[in-house]
Amino acid sequence: MPASSHVLVVAAGRGSRAGAGLPKQFRTLAGQSLIARTLHALLSAHQDLRVTPVIHPDDTDLFSEAAGLLDATMRERLHASVFGGASRQDSVRLGLEALALHDVAPDIVLIHDGARPFVSPELVLRAIAAADRHQAAVPGCAVTDTIKQIGSDGAVLGTLDRQQLRAVQTPQAFAFPLILAAHRQAAKAGRNDLTDDGAVAEYAGHSVYVFEGDVINVKITTPMDFMSAEARLLATLPDIRIGQGYDVHSFTDGDHVWLGGVRIPHDRKLTGHSDADVVLHALTDAVLGAIGDGDIGVHFPPSDEKWRGARSALFLKDAIDRVGKRGGVVAHLDVTIVCEAPKIGPHREAMRAAIAAIAGIGIDRVGIKATTSELMGFVGRREGMAAWALATVRLPLGPT
Ligand code: MG
C-alpha cells in the first residue's frame, strides 16, 4: 500500500427493504451475517488495512457477534465502532471525525457500504491507488442498459449517451483531510441530500475521478439480492461433509431434563458435569466431526471446573463458530433421541426452534426424531438416555 489507509464501513442503516426484522446488514447470508462477510472481505485485502465500522447504537450486540467470527489477526485491525447519525451522510461524517481524533490520522480513507460483501482485494487496492493519485476517486462500472431521462408524465425527454455514464459503487477513496473538510462544509451548509461521498467532494469543489469498479461488487438491498447472493456463495462451498455424534447420560433423582436446549419437566434428571443435554452434546460432536476438529471433550474438558453446570448451548455454538471461521456453513442438523421417557413429541418444535437459534440456521434445517428402546438395554431399563446426531456442513475448497 502506498500510504496509510483506513476503511470506514457504513453499517448504521435501519433498512428493512430486504424483509425480515433485522437491519439488512445483520441478516444471514449463507450462514454468516452480511456485515461479517463485508468485514472479512475488507480485512483480507491487505495486512496493513485498518477498518472502523459505523453502526447504530441499537446494534452493538449484533455487531460484536459478527466481529467475533473474525480471526484474531483481523480483529486487531478492527477499530472500535463509531455510532452513526440520522442519515448515511451524517454517519460518514461522524466516522471521519472519529478518525480525526486518532493520534495519527490516516493519509487515505476508503468509505464502503456494509451491504457490499463481494468487494475484492483487487478493488480495494485499486481504490487506494486511485486516492493516492487523484485525492478523490470512486469506482464505476460501464452502464449496459440505455438510460432515458423522463418527465413527470413519463414521457422521454432524452436519451443519455451511455458511453459517458458510469454506475458508481463503493469503496470510494479520498485523501483523508480533503473528504473530512468536504463533509464538514456540507454539514455546516445544511446539505444532507448528497447520496454518496463523491457527491460531497464534488459539492466542496473537488474533481472526482472514476476508476474501474467491479460488477460482482453489488449492494445487497432487496430479497432478490439476498437470494442471488446466497446462491452465489453456496456455489463457493462445494466441499460437503457429514459428521456424526453420539452421547449418553444416566438418570438420577430430579424434576427436569435439558434436551435440545429446552427444559422439560420429568421425574428424573440427567447426570453430568454440564447441564447434561444429551441432544446438544451429540450435535456438538457431529458438527466437530464434520470439520475434523476433535470432540466436545477436547474443547470443553470435564476436568475443567469452568464448565461445571454450563449450558450446553455454549458447546454447540462454539462448534458452529468453528465452521464459520473455516468459511463454511451448517446446512442441516438431525438428531435421534432414544429414551422410554419423557415423551419427546410435545417438545419437538421447541427443541427445533432452540437448536436453530443456537446454530443460526432456519428451523427447516433441524430434524428431531425420537424412539424408545422397546424396554431393552440400559435405555429400556430407564437407566439413562442416548442421542445420535448427524450434521451436514459445507466448506470452501482448499487444503484446510
Ligand atoms: Mg455428554
Side-chain angles (χ1 to χ4, degrees), residues 113-160:
D113 295 328
R116 289 188 193 265
F118 295 115
V119 57
S120 68
E122 294 77 18
L123 181 59
V124 170
L125 297 180
R126 278 206 296 282
I128 293 168
D132 199 39
R133 182 162 176 203
H134 298 296
Q135 282 69 63
V138 298
C141 293
V143 175
T144 51
D145 291 330
T146 294
I147 308 286
K148 303 283 187 192
Q149 195 171 14
I150 60 169
S152 55
D153 60 353
V156 172
L157 300 175
T159 300
L160 301 178

Side-chain angles (χ1 to χ4, degrees), residues 283-307:
L283 280 169
T284 302
D285 267 357
V287 173
L288 292 172
I291 56 172
D293 192 354
D295 62 22
I296 193 169
V298 169
H299 300 295
F300 300 99
S303 56
D304 191 336
E305 277 306 304
K306 197 162 45 171
W307 310 120

Side-chain angles (χ1 to χ4, degrees), residues 54-343:
V54 184
I55 65 171
H56 191 280
D58 291 352
D59 297 338
T60 305
D61 291 345
L62 285 169
F63 185 82
S64 302
E65 197 175 318
L69 286 176
L70 298 168
D71 66 35
T73 61
M74 287 190 180
R75 278 205 301 271
E76 279 171 19
R77 293 183 285 124
L78 182 65
H79 287 228
S81 303
V82 176
F83 291 147
S87 67
R88 183 188 186 282
Q89 196 182 324
D90 285 337
S91 293
V92 172
R93 183 175 46 80
L94 292 167
L96 293 169
E97 294 289 1
L99 294 188
L101 296 176
H102 284 193
D103 291 339
V104 180
D107 298 323
I108 285 171
V109 64
L110 308 189
I111 301 169
H112 187 62
D113 295 328
R116 289 188 193 265
F118 295 115
V119 57
S120 68
E122 294 77 18
L123 181 59
V124 170
L125 297 180
R126 278 206 296 282
I128 293 168
D132 199 39
R133 182 162 176 203
H134 298 296
Q135 282 69 63
V138 298
C141 293
V143 175
T144 51
D145 291 330
T146 294
I147 308 286
K148 303 283 187 192
Q149 195 171 14
I150 60 169
S152 55
D153 60 353
V156 172
L157 300 175
T159 300
L160 301 178
D161 175 9
R162 70 182 179 196
Q163 299 292 348
Q164 291 193 317
L165 297 175
R166 292 293 179 273
V168 166
Q169 331 178 305
T170 73
Q172 301 193 351
F174 305 93
F176 176 71
L178 179 154
I179 195 65
L180 175 64
H183 265 278
R184 283 175 174 169
Q185 187 181 335
K188 202 171 169 188
R191 283 294 300 267
N192 56 7
D193 56 330
L194 302 167
T195 55
D196 75 342
D197 302 291
V200 175
E202 292 161 45
Y203 167 78
H206 299 288
S207 296
V208 177
Y209 290 80
V210 174
F211 60 95
E212 189 193 346
D214 183 351
V215 288
I216 297 296
N217 176 37
V218 290
K219 186 171 182 179
I220 311 286
T221 302
T222 65
M224 187 60 83
D225 295 336
F226 267 90
M227 280 170 60
S228 55
E230 186 142 55
R232 186 197 299 174
L233 285 165
L234 287 178
T236 68
L237 302 174
D239 185 0
I240 297 175
R241 313 276 192 89
I242 312 274
Q244 177 251 10
Y246 171 69
D247 195 34
V248 172
H249 282 266
S250 60
F251 282 125
T252 186
D253 292 339
D255 61 3
H256 71 277
V257 290
W258 281 98
L259 290 177
V262 175
R263 189 183 192 276
I264 297 174
H266 189 46
D267 58 1
R268 311 282 276 157
K269 75 168 188 181
L270 292 167
T271 58
H273 192 69
S274 64
D275 63 12
D277 189 326
V278 69
V279 171
L280 294 189
H281 293 185
L283 280 169
T284 302
D285 267 357
V287 173
L288 292 172
I291 56 172
D293 192 354
D295 62 22
I296 193 169
V298 169
H299 300 295
F300 300 99
S303 56
D304 191 336
E305 277 306 304
K306 197 162 45 171
W307 310 120
R308 179 173 293 284
R311 294 293 307 277
S312 299
L314 186 81
F315 307 152
L316 179 57
K317 179 76 167 58
D318 179 81
I320 301 279
D321 285 350
R322 287 171 187 273
V323 175
K325 283 177 182 160
R326 296 272 295 270
V329 299
V330 173
H332 137 275
L333 297 171
D334 184 28
V335 189
T336 300
I337 302 167
V338 193
C339 63
E340 301 297 330
K343 284 208 176 309

Side-chain angles (χ1 to χ4, degrees), residues 2-43:
S4 81
S5 303
H6 203 108
V7 189
L8 273 189
V9 177
V10 193
R14 305 283 82 200
S16 54
R17 262 184 296 173
L22 288 176
K24 67 176 180 182
Q25 59 273 31
F26 295 102
R27 283 194 52 201
T28 299
L29 194 59
Q32 271 185 35
S33 69
L34 194 48
I35 189 69
R37 291 189 175 280
T38 303
L39 293 172
H40 188 273
L42 291 167
L43 289 162

